Amino acid sequence: MQALDIRRFRLPDYLASVWPLVITLTGAFVFWLLLFGNPLEILELRWLGQLLRWRAVAGIAPAVDSHIVHLDIDRQEFESFSTIALEYQNAARIISEAAELGTKVVAFDVIFSRGSKEESQPILDAIEEAKGRGTQVVLAEALEPSPSDAKAQDRIRSFLFRERLTESAGLINAQSDSDGVLRRYAIVESGPQGPEPSLALAAYLLWHDLTWKDVSFPSPNVVCWPELDREDPSRQVSRKMQTEPLLLNFLTSWNFRASDPNAAKSVFIHYRLADLHTDYDEAEKAQRANRPVRKTLEDCVVMVSYIVTGVGDIGSTPMGANQPRVVSHLQALNDLFKDSFLRRTSRFTDALVLVIVLSFGFFSNRCAGVRSLVVLWIGGVLLVLCLGAWLVFAQNTVFGVIYLAGLWTAVNIAEVARRYAREFIERLKLRTTMSLYFSPRVLERVLENPGSTEPQEAELTLLLTDLRNSTPLAERLGANGFFSLLNQVFEIQTRAVTAEDGNLEHFLGDQFLSYWGAPHPQPDATDRALRAAVSLSLEMERFRKDLPTEVRELFGYGVALHSGFALVGNKGSRLRLDYGVVGDLVNTAARVESLTKYYSVRMLVTRDAYAKLTIPPPARLLDHIMVKGKNLPIEILEIKDSLSKPNFEEIAQTYSEAFDRYRKGDFDVAELLFRKLAECESDPASFVLMRRCAELSRDPPKVWEGVFRLETK
């Protein structure tokens, strides 16, 4: 027979541990991120939008700056301007009334490019008049690619008939992302003559009494201007910001309505033309009556736009679709006031964060199965998402949570695949080797958990049987007859054990050893073993009745149950393997089984096994002995089953009384009680104890602890 080299099923080194997979996947994700950027950036931004919407609904969004007011001009009001002249007169009135109410800056998200000089003059006059009252006006402008030159830009501005008002102009070129959602805002745009301010930055600078001339560029990507320190208003600082588009920290949707004061504070103040006119009329009345004038828009920035589809720009923001695009200027202005732009972490920072996935190697080693890996995956993803939400809400910082969660998911999937591959290879290995000595049923159970056959210490219950009078039976039956008898006995024993999910250790001569509790733990191992022993005894008795008389007289067997700890695992050589039990537990079980002959009983159960029965049956303590070769005493019991005498419990009661006398050293009384049982009930165990008491009575031991030492096996 050719030697079986199970090492040909050796697990590939790459699949032997989780670390190569984790390191490889993390390295690949980091390499791609640093070289090409985050491929899931749009998903990152969509998740950011979801967080912002949840924040708004939960009422935990920050409050808007109280200096920012939006003047809504809806469709009904817009349609009332039947001519350009009326529209421009309304704009002039807005400037005048806002200035009267204390407004510091009026910013128009409207380009007045259609009117003539005469039609536009009211606006120009209102602008000059407002300056005298300390109110500055910002006019919107836009840059578009020139139809004649793709590299050139055409400027769309107000009042084309006159020189451009450079000190009070702001660009409204807000660009959407690739999915059409407006998330970013460039506070500085590149114009034909160089950098130019956005509408929000122009309004913010004028609110601080600054102009574009006060702005400098320390580097091409940094814009700088002086303003008062937020913490120490007596000190002037230089504020620096990036010129690249910044993520807007959207607070609510345009039409967000909330009864909760905490949620309402994050909604921009909306003014209507009627509100403006009413407040202006009240101020005029107060002034004429020499009463204090209530300037409801004092020190505010009033942003004016048309909220009319087809006239005012409409687009999608993270807060929803069909949002007026003026909200981007409002939000940018609010972020300038509060320094609350969202900061997107760099590629390098995101790459460093990805390294924390290496901790998966430590945690996965503590996950025994796929379910625990799923829990680890869910826990990791939730932790990443919660960390990302906290950074957004508390630190205005956005990092690649989706990319990180994607890596965490990838390593979890890879680990599950690795384990399945490893299990598959282990099953091939086990099926090849264990099919030599495991039955198909036991083999399939072991294959469900390949690691269960690794050497281990386990708590077992052993069932050991022995056929009596083997030599006389072999002489009477001959070789063929004896092996036929032996195989029928083993068949009975095997069926009884496997019916209770027991494992067959070996057939050794006329002995049969089986066990419960390994390779898989069985909490009810002893219950199963006892049921198997009782079933085995019943079948053996039926089998005995069918034997010829001369064979029946010689046929006998003993059964022993014992529980304890032992080593189990594969043992043998490359040519022959055996999965079985090693340890003193087997020797003790063999000693107990041999005592069935000594006491002339069919089955003995040790106290260790009896104590583990869920519902212990009636039993009698047969003896407390120390078998040959052992230093610790054991208690052996005989239990009641269907083959026991009908008055078993009465016999057990009398036997217990006699045994108590025996344990106390009152050998004469004990002998009399045991003799009564032996003669009246023909109880073999009582004969043994009766003779022992007589011997101990004649030659009492110097020290008696109730334990008898047997000198023979």
Side-chain angles (χ1 to χ4, degrees), residues 104-105 136 138 166-170 187-188 196-217 223-227 239 241 301 333 336-337:
K104 193 164 186 180
V105 178
Q136 301 292 330
V138 181
T166 57
E167 296 302 320
S168 58
I187 61 173
V188 175
E196 297 183 26
S198 65
L199 183 66
L201 180 58
Y204 182 78
L205 292 174
L206 288 174
W207 188 86
H208 280 279
D209 299 321
L210 300 173
T211 66
W212 188 241
K213 294 179 180 179
D214 297 308
V215 174
S216 61
F217 291 87
V223 59
C224 176
W225 63 85
E227 65 178 52
R239 184 171 180 184
M241 297 193 69
V301 177
L333 186 58
L336 282 168
F337 271 111

Side-chain angles (χ1 to χ4, degrees), residues 43 59 115 118 121 131 195 241 243 267 292 320 329 340 347 398 425-426 428 473 479 482 488 535 633 680 688:
L43 293 180
E118 291 74 15
Q121 195 59 45
K131 286 182 180 179
M241 297 193 69
T243 58
V267 180
H329 305 300
S340 58
R347 292 185 185 181
V398 181
I425 294 172
E426 288 293 332
L428 286 179
L473 283 171
F482 179 72
Q488 290 180 74
S535 174
C680 297
V688 174

Side-chain angles (χ1 to χ4, degrees), residues 458-465 497 503-506 512-518 525-526 528-530 532-533 559-568 580-593 603-606 608-609 612:
E459 188 173 12
L460 308 176
T461 296
L462 303 186
L463 187 159
L464 190 144
T465 65
V497 170
N503 297 313
L504 313 177
E505 212 285 351
H506 63 239
F512 175 80
L513 178 62
S514 56
Y515 60 93
W516 285 258
T526 308
R528 292 175 178 273
L530 179 59
V559 180
L561 288 181
H562 183 43
S563 297
F565 286 90
L567 301 178
V568 289
V581 184
V582 175
D584 187 63
L585 191 70
V586 179
N587 298 330
T588 302
R591 297 286 191 274
V592 173
E593 189 283 321
M603 179 166 59
L604 289 176
V605 179
T606 65
D608 293 326
K612 294 184 179 300

Side-chain angles (χ1 to χ4, degrees), residues 119-423:
E119 292 170 326
S120 304
Q121 195 59 45
I123 298 179
L124 295 173
D125 292 341
I127 291 174
E128 291 301 321
E129 180 184 351
K131 286 182 180 179
R133 296 181 180 180
T135 299
Q136 301 292 330
V137 177
V138 181
L139 300 174
E141 294 186 353
L143 296 174
E144 292 186 352
S146 174
S148 58
D149 186 356
K151 296 182 179 181
Q153 291 179 309
D154 289 342
R155 184 182 302 277
I156 302 174
R157 65 179 181 87
S158 300
F159 314 133
L160 299 177
F161 55 84
R162 60 161 293 165
E163 184 180 352
R164 176 171 170 256
L165 302 175
T166 57
E167 296 302 320
S168 58
L171 295 175
I172 55 174
N173 290 75
Q175 299 296 324
S176 300
D177 286 329
S178 58
D179 60 348
V181 178
L182 181 61
R183 301 184 180 93
R184 307 174 194 270
Y185 193 89
I187 61 173
V188 175
E189 294 275 1
S190 295
Q193 286 82 39
E196 297 183 26
S198 65
L199 183 66
L201 180 58
Y204 182 78
L205 292 174
L206 288 174
W207 188 86
H208 280 279
D209 299 321
L210 300 173
T211 66
W212 188 241
K213 294 179 180 179
D214 297 308
V215 174
S216 61
F217 291 87
S219 67
N221 296 325
V222 176
V223 59
C224 176
W225 63 85
E227 65 178 52
L228 297 180
D229 190 350
R230 298 172 185 272
E231 297 180 357
D232 183 8
S234 64
R235 186 170 64 94
Q236 192 176 65
V237 296
S238 179
R239 184 171 180 184
K240 296 180 180 180
M241 297 193 69
Q242 296 292 323
T243 58
E244 63 183 16
L246 303 171
L247 281 172
L248 294 170
N249 194 354
F250 283 96
L251 303 179
T252 60
S253 62
W254 181 259
N255 295 319
F256 187 80
R257 296 292 181 267
S259 57
D260 182 3
N262 290 326
K265 71 183 187 323
S266 59
V267 180
F268 287 106
I269 300 173
H270 289 270
Y271 243 52
R272 305 296 296 274
L273 277 178
D275 299 329
L276 179 66
H277 299 331
T278 300
D279 287 352
Y280 175 76
D281 292 340
E282 291 293 331
E284 285 290 297
K285 291 178 182 177
Q287 190 173 12
R288 287 194 297 268
N290 292 321
R291 288 186 285 108
V293 177
R294 180 172 172 266
K295 296 190 175 183
T296 55
L297 298 176
E298 187 170 13
D299 210 27
C300 288
V301 177
V302 176
M303 188 81 68
V304 184
S305 67
Y306 296 138
I307 312 302
V308 181
T309 303
V311 179
D313 290 336
I314 301 295
S316 296
T317 73
M319 310 310 291
N322 300 319
Q323 301 285 300
R325 292 173 71 91
V326 68
V327 72
S328 65
H329 305 300
L330 288 169
Q331 189 58 59
L333 186 58
N334 185 73
D335 289 341
L336 282 168
F337 271 111
K338 296 208 158 195
D339 193 18
S340 58
F341 283 103
L342 295 175
R343 295 178 292 276
R344 182 67 172 92
T345 53
S346 65
R347 292 185 185 181
F348 182 74
T349 301
D350 283 356
L352 287 178
V353 174
L354 290 179
V355 176
I356 68 173
V357 174
L358 293 177
S359 64
F360 174 82
F362 296 102
F363 293 113
S364 67
N365 288 332
R366 290 163 176 77
C367 295
V370 173
R371 287 186 178 179
S372 55
L373 280 176
V374 171
V375 172
L376 178 63
W377 167 66
I378 294 174
V381 170
L382 289 177
L383 179 62
V384 169
L385 296 181
C386 290
L387 175 62
W390 178 80
L391 286 173
V392 170
F393 297 163
Q395 304 296 323
N396 294 333
T397 300
V398 181
F399 81 97
V401 292
I402 302 300
Y403 197 62
L404 177 58
L407 174 57
W408 185 259
T409 301
V411 296
N412 274 271
I413 293 174
E415 173 60 6
V416 170
R418 184 191 72 84
R419 292 191 180 191
Y420 274 115
R422 180 179 179 179
E423 182 180 353

Side-chain angles (χ1 to χ4, degrees), residues 652-671:
Q653 179 64 34
T654 306
Y655 190 94
S656 177
E657 294 173 2
F659 195 76
D660 286 342
R661 293 287 186 173
Y662 162 75
R663 291 285 297 271
K664 293 176 181 178
D666 195 354
F667 302 120
D668 293 334
V669 177
E671 181 186 359

Side-chain angles (χ1 to χ4, degrees), residues 533-552:
V534 172
S535 174
L536 180 153
S537 299
L538 289 172
E539 290 298 320
M540 292 285 276
E541 291 302 318
R542 295 191 186 100
F543 178 68
R544 183 208 296 268
K545 292 178 181 179
D546 295 333
L547 293 174
T549 304
E550 65 276 9
V551 177
R552 188 188 315 135

